[in-house]
Amino acid sequence: MHIAKKDLRKALLWPLLALVVCMLGWTALLAQLAREKSQAEQEALRDAEILARAYGTHLFRALEAVDQITRYVKYGWEATGGEFTLEQMGQQGLFGRHSGFYISLIDERGNLISSTIPGAQRVNIVDEPYFTVHRQAGNAFHIGVARIGNFSQTPVVPFSRRLTDAQGRFRGIVLVSVIPEYFMSNYDEIALGRHGFLALLGTDGVARLERVGNKVFLPRSGDKALNMQPALDMRAGSRLFGAQDSFSDRRPRYVAWQTTSGYEMVTMAGFDQEDILGPYRAKRRDWLRSAALATILLAVAAAAGAFVSLRLTRERRQFESMQATYRTATEGGSDGFFIARPVCGRDGEVTDFTIIDCNERGAEFLRHRREELIGERLKALYRGEAAERAMRMMCKAMKVRAYEGEADLEALGVSGPKWAHFRVCRPDNDLAVTMRDISGLKAHVAELERRGNEDALTQLPNRHWANAYLPEAIARAREGGRMIALLFLDLDGFKTVNDTAGHQAGDDILRHVGRRLREAVRPNDQVARVGGDEFLVILQKLATAADAAHVAQRILDAFQPAFKIGQTSYAVGVSIGIGMFPQDGADANTLLKNADIAMYSAKTAGKHNYRFFDPRFSEILRSRHEREAELRQALENDQLVMYYQPRVELRTGKTCSMEALVRWQHPSKGIVGPGEFIALAEETGLILTLGEQVIHKVCAQIAQWQQQSQALVPVSINVSARQFQETDVAALVASCIERYRIDPRFIEIELTESSMIGDTEDVGQALRALQRLGVKLLVDDFGTGYSSLSQLQRLDFDVLKVDRAFTAELDKTREGAVFFSAIITMAHALGMRVVAEGVETQDQVSKLKALHCDEVQGFFISRPLPSWQTPDIAPERFLSSTA
């Protein structure tokens, strides 16, 4: 019995021991699992903080680029008094259909003025928040909420800036709409996972743009990722967002946020909890399965007392196996881990640290084996500056119990990863150091910065880079008392190549230009592309201004050979303006402006040369701008008047037509002839508005004569080459005919030979559209342009007007009459009537009649007369002797 009780006690001892072991094991296991989960969550939050900061840096660069665009367009609009247009920017590829940037100008009533969007929707946006905020507030840069664009009808993020006139009154806004992908392009599915989260919020907590996985949310359209407006410390932070009250997809996430500098926007980045805890949960299932098996084995061991020793031994082996498994799992992580113990001198100050433990990953970071690293001193591992920085980091952590930072190990000459993130904690007297390789993340951020500062076409630095670099270069030169030269380059003849050969050829030439510029300048000089065909060269370390002239001449020499694209060679030159620091500008903006003025001086002097900035030319340019402003005001205030000069038929001597000639009724100068303002109108593009007004005035005058029952003859209207090539003249004439209800046979259109340069098919279509209206077509100033006989035959003109230079030769040389006779014969053969311009003598009239010229025009017949005198002139016989 005693033996039985003893056996019973022994039998009961095993279940009790097994129960105690099970409780301890499960408690330890659950505690370890809790620590594993906590560590995974903390790492997720740290990673989210890193991504939020990186995204904040990217966002700041992106917002700065958009801000510069709004400033540039605002300056252009206000500097031109509202005449700044955006259509050409889109046509020239500056902000094309696929660039992701849509720029629009809106007037004070909310109506679209101009846009780079082809076929933009003409909708009123007066009630839109981004319009209202500028109408009620100041000039601040406004960042709107992602939405479907009013004009582009595509998802965009709106940015806007207020437009004001010279008196500071509100005149509308400049609106830059950017596709969401521009701000979400750094979403990395490998890093963030399939359900990662990125968002852009204002400091008011309202979401501007959100992205979950591959889906971009537009909050303004009611589509959002966050269900509620989160109550956050808007400076920075991180936490877990729960499933029920945060995200629309009800998936919890570890989220961090960071406020960007300068624009006060909040960037958020988050990892899906399932993606983060997936490996942990798989490990937890394995461990729980092992623990359950161990429990069963303990139960079996307790029931079989005879095998207690065997079972204990077996359980001990299983426990050791679990420890080895745990060790293997921790070694498989991406972080290096070290335990460092301080070494103190006699005075108690810390003089070094000893590595008392580490994992294999940590040993790999330092290019050692784990057994070699344990027991090693810190100063034996690092040398020079690296040792000093490591000691400062560890000593600071000993004092404040924590330290976190990054280090460029490659720059310090330390073997291992290029960049590392350190986190040092002091839980007791030893330091726990976590080291993470962030070389990939740093490389990604550096690549984003490079792309933001580089022109994609030429691989040269771009305007954004130049705007940041030039002030720094000036500051360094000012401190060192040195000189800087800024060369502003504009290509000569590039637009012609782009228009005739296409944008692909233009892009190839720009790439060749970038290479030639890099080869022409000195090794330390900087070259940047700042516009379509505009470049900057920043010259530093100059002894005299002659050094800048030498570099400029080398650049001119580099452009001497033609650019060969495919089988075709293109001659493209360059005009260079040079601004010198400090004499031509003490700051970047002034220096850039004066270099631009010097470039314009080089253009004016004949192109393909260089000019230093001259304040006198600046005054000339200012005067030209004043004359341009006066001409704009003349067009706005209806100061243009029409004069009419008759054409007389030689056979009958009667007036058969009149040419409409524009004059400027200047408020102070009186009647101003076209020679003083037509060239300026051509250069500035005002010729388009001027030409449209002329057509309206002539048609209105014909209608008035028609209502007064005056005898009428056709009136010819001069259309400039630029107006003919850039506008739909046929549509304009058709609308005037319908508006003023006039007979189209009383309208003639005069075109110079330069109007016919370009695609013959396009020119022919435009001319046929005019002829279908019943309008006659005249070739003006024939003999001074570049038209060919075959081109005249294909384009089917009605009248050929011979330039006054050939009429003048009739009185001087026999060859003049021969040449004039050849022109008349050719024109009659092509079915065209011939008009001699500039007829001033009776002798010229007689010779022209003998050559069978059809009509004459000039001062001998009549000077141009105002409209109130022409009704009496129209039926008059001027050359009775010829009848």
Side-chain angles (χ1 to χ4, degrees), residues 179-326:
I179 60 173
E181 288 78 5
Y182 184 74
F183 301 99
M184 293 294 182
S185 60
N186 62 339
Y187 184 95
D188 187 349
E189 186 170 334
I190 296 177
L192 285 169
R194 292 176 57 250
H195 302 288
F197 170 67
L198 281 179
L200 171 61
L201 285 74
T203 53
D204 54 3
V206 176
R208 278 6 182 222
L209 187 62
E210 302 169 292
R211 175 171 178 172
V212 173
N214 292 325
K215 181 175 181 181
V216 177
F217 293 82
L218 306 180
R220 180 63 193 270
S221 304
D223 193 12
K224 57 184 181 179
L226 283 170
N227 281 329
M228 64 176 185
Q229 178 174 315
L232 306 174
D233 177 359
M234 283 304 175
R235 292 185 298 275
S238 61
R239 67 176 175 84
L240 172 64
F241 281 55
Q244 301 300 321
D245 58 350
S246 297
F247 290 91
S248 57
D249 59 2
R250 295 184 177 276
R251 298 179 72 94
R253 291 177 174 85
Y254 301 99
V255 179
W257 57 92
Q258 177 76 34
T259 301
T260 65
S261 61
Y263 292 94
E264 294 300 314
M265 299 299 291
V266 180
T267 54
M268 301 184 72
F271 296 95
D272 182 68
Q273 188 183 58
E274 182 60 33
D275 292 340
I276 295 299
L277 297 184
Y280 157 76
R281 288 171 177 166
K283 183 189 297 184
R284 182 176 182 274
R285 286 192 299 270
D286 292 341
W287 285 13
L288 290 177
R289 190 180 297 113
S290 298
L293 178 61
T295 302
I296 293 173
L297 293 175
L298 279 175
V300 172
F307 302 100
V308 169
S309 297
L310 180 61
R311 293 301 182 189
L312 288 175
T313 302
R314 184 177 179 182
E315 289 298 331
R316 185 168 57 254
R317 288 200 302 268
Q318 288 180 346
F319 182 72
E320 292 172 353
S321 176
M322 289 174 61
Q323 284 187 322
T325 302
Y326 169 70

Side-chain angles (χ1 to χ4, degrees), residues 246-551:
S246 297
F247 290 91
S248 57
D249 59 2
R250 295 184 177 276
R251 298 179 72 94
R253 291 177 174 85
Y254 301 99
V255 179
W257 57 92
Q258 177 76 34
T259 301
T260 65
S261 61
Y263 292 94
E264 294 300 314
M265 299 299 291
V266 180
T267 54
M268 301 184 72
F271 296 95
D272 182 68
Q273 188 183 58
E274 182 60 33
D275 292 340
I276 295 299
L277 297 184
Y280 157 76
R281 288 171 177 166
K283 183 189 297 184
R284 182 176 182 274
R285 286 192 299 270
D286 292 341
W287 285 13
L288 290 177
R289 190 180 297 113
S290 298
L293 178 61
T295 302
I296 293 173
L297 293 175
L298 279 175
V300 172
F307 302 100
V308 169
S309 297
L310 180 61
R311 293 301 182 189
L312 288 175
T313 302
R314 184 177 179 182
E315 289 298 331
R316 185 168 57 254
R317 288 200 302 268
Q318 288 180 346
F319 182 72
E320 292 172 353
S321 176
M322 289 174 61
Q323 284 187 322
T325 302
Y326 169 70
R327 185 71 180 181
T328 301
T330 57
E331 292 292 350
S334 61
D335 290 352
F337 183 75
F338 306 88
I339 300 295
R341 180 163 294 166
V343 177
C344 299
R346 294 181 179 178
D347 56 359
E349 292 293 325
V350 177
T351 59
D352 206 345
F353 290 87
T354 302
I355 306 298
I356 62 173
D357 194 10
C358 71
N359 63 358
E360 291 292 345
R361 182 60 174 158
E364 290 176 6
F365 277 146
L366 301 181
R367 299 295 188 264
H368 284 72
R369 292 196 300 271
R370 180 173 176 272
E371 54 271 21
E372 294 175 344
L373 200 59
I374 295 176
E376 194 68 67
R377 293 287 183 93
L378 184 64
K379 290 183 178 180
L381 296 172
Y382 296 112
R383 295 286 189 275
E385 183 183 355
E388 294 176 4
R389 291 190 59 178
M391 282 298 296
R392 286 198 299 268
M393 176 183 72
M394 302 287 275
C395 290
K396 184 175 181 180
M398 286 294 295
K399 293 178 180 178
V400 300
R401 307 193 72 85
Y403 175 85
E404 188 169 0
E406 299 173 353
D408 185 351
L409 301 183
E410 185 177 70
L412 295 172
V414 177
S415 61
K418 176 175 173 53
W419 278 91
H421 175 271
F422 294 95
R423 184 179 179 86
V424 186
C425 299
R426 181 190 170 188
D428 45 33
N429 291 328
D430 296 332
L431 294 179
V433 183
T434 303
M435 179 178 177
R436 172 171 294 173
D437 183 357
I438 58 171
S439 303
L441 180 60
K442 284 291 185 179
H444 180 65
V445 173
E447 176 64 15
L448 291 176
E449 292 179 352
R450 184 191 66 78
R451 292 183 182 181
N453 289 320
E454 183 180 277
D455 174 53
L457 181 63
T458 62
Q459 279 73 58
L460 293 173
N462 58 16
R463 178 181 289 275
H464 179 266
W465 175 89
N467 288 339
Y469 182 84
L470 185 56
E472 295 174 357
I474 290 176
R476 290 192 298 269
R478 183 181 290 111
E479 292 175 1
R482 294 188 297 272
M483 183 185 299
I484 285 180
L486 181 64
L487 277 59
F488 195 105
L489 285 67
D490 187 87
L491 302 185
D492 301 329
F494 176 76
K495 185 178 185 300
T496 301
V497 175
N498 223 23
D499 292 343
T500 58
H503 293 296
Q504 182 60 51
D507 290 347
D508 290 341
I509 286 178
L510 289 174
R511 280 189 281 266
H512 284 296
V513 167
R515 285 193 288 271
R516 290 193 186 184
L517 289 177
R518 282 193 293 263
E519 293 169 358
V521 301
R522 305 172 307 176
N524 293 327
D525 297 335
Q526 302 293 333
V527 181
R529 182 189 176 203
V530 296
D533 60 348
E534 296 177 340
F535 297 81
L536 287 182
V537 176
I538 303 173
L539 306 180
Q540 302 176 80
K541 299 181 180 179
L542 298 175
T544 66
D547 294 340
H550 178 69
V551 175

Side-chain angles (χ1 to χ4, degrees), residues 179 237 239 245 295 493 524 546 594 609 639 699 771 789 820 876:
I179 60 173
R239 67 176 175 84
D245 58 350
T295 302
N524 293 327
N594 291 339
N609 57 15
Q639 294 176 4
C699 291
Q771 289 174 325
L789 296 180
F820 213 114
E876 186 173 338

